[in-house]
Amino acid sequence: MVPANNNFKTYLQAKAGITADQFLLLTDAIKTQTIAKGTVLLNPGEICHHSFFVENGLLRSYTIDHSGKEHIIQFASENWIISDRSSIFFNEPSDFYIDAIEETTFIFLDLEFINKASEISLSFRLFNEKALQNHIRHLQKRINLLLGATAEQRYLDFIRLYPDLMLRVPQWMIASYLGITPESLSRVRKEMAKRNFKPY
């Protein structure tokens, strides 16, 4: 039987330099949960206390505007981390929802785990700092694409960033992430298909 946190262990060893012995020391601080499709992990107005590492499944973060339209900020499939970092750091109410698109098993990354991992591993400490900078870089690139890129350029970036999601999420969710209508996305895909582009 494959351990429930097998992906997480592999991720920490590959990305954060955690050894097998160090991972054993962290076992007591690792909390795992499985939730059903549609389960909400965070609502606007709540303070986010955790980041979530997706062991298996698919989460998303999004907002809903005054007209009831959803705007997807991020998807998180296997080996992705999702949270509201501003809410965690500043202990302020979140502006976002986080929910499950599929049945999802995830690891809670709370302050207890971060502190313990940082104490036993310098490489984890450095990894955690780099992860924050990568998060900021990703957000800056996303803002730049939304402001200045064409719909096709945004779609190509989506395929690059989330190659495993093309068949896992409905077209309207992809369009929401891209900041365009489903009809516009359909036109983009048709134009790309005419040029024999195959996204998957």
Side-chain angles (χ1 to χ4, degrees):
M1 182 176 177
V2 178
N5 56 16
N6 189 60
N7 282 344
F8 187 50
K9 179 179 180 180
T10 302
Y11 177 88
L12 288 181
Q13 289 177 329
K15 303 285 188 180
I18 293 288
T19 67
D21 288 341
Q22 288 172 333
F23 187 81
L24 285 175
L25 296 175
L26 293 170
T27 302
D28 290 343
I30 296 174
K31 304 177 185 71
T32 304
Q33 184 175 343
T34 299
I35 57 175
K37 176 182 177 180
T39 302
V40 178
L41 291 173
L42 180 69
N43 285 290
E46 298 175 348
I47 295 175
C48 186
H49 296 291
H50 308 90
S51 294
F52 308 99
F53 175 89
V54 178
E55 183 71 21
N56 185 265
L58 182 59
L59 302 176
R60 63 170 177 158
S61 64
Y62 62 99
T63 61
I64 299 179
D65 65 24
H66 295 301
S67 66
K69 183 179 179 181
E70 291 185 10
H71 303 274
I72 295 177
I73 308 300
Q74 181 190 348
F75 294 101
S77 56
E78 290 80 8
N79 296 321
W80 277 73
I81 296 171
I82 192 168
S83 69
D84 182 348
R85 287 179 176 268
S86 294
S87 179
I88 293 173
F89 186 82
F90 294 106
N91 198 40
E92 293 178 349
S94 177
D95 294 322
F96 306 114
Y97 294 89
I98 296 177
D99 70 10
I101 299 175
E102 303 171 353
E103 178 179 273
T104 300
T105 299
F106 61 88
I107 312 291
F108 288 99
L109 300 181
D110 56 14
L111 195 58
E112 176 191 358
F113 175 83
I114 298 298
N115 287 342
K116 189 168 184 178
S118 296
E119 286 174 7
I120 68 173
S121 172
L122 172 61
S123 63
F124 178 87
R125 220 158 42 238
L126 296 173
F127 160 78
N128 194 43
E129 292 171 3
K130 185 177 180 180
L132 175 58
Q133 298 304 319
N134 277 335
H135 176 70
I136 294 170
R137 180 174 65 175
H138 170 71
L139 288 179
Q140 288 175 332
K141 181 175 182 181
R142 180 143 163 64
I143 291 169
N144 187 50
L145 284 169
L146 287 172
L147 291 176
T150 65
E152 181 173 317
Q153 288 170 332
R154 293 182 223 170
Y155 182 53
L156 287 170
D157 186 72
F158 174 85
I159 294 169
R160 178 194 61 79
L161 192 62
Y162 298 114
D164 61 321
L165 296 192
M166 300 301 299
L167 301 177
R168 293 175 68 177
V169 298
Q171 181 163 299
W172 73 264
M173 283 192 183
I174 297 175
S176 172
Y177 175 85
L178 298 178
I180 60 177
T181 64
E183 293 76 17
S184 294
L185 177 56
S186 181
R187 284 194 296 271
V188 167
R189 294 173 85 164
K190 286 177 182 177
E191 287 298 319
M192 293 171 70
K194 288 179 183 177
R195 305 196 299 269
N196 296 316
F197 176 84
K198 294 181 175 63
Y200 48 83

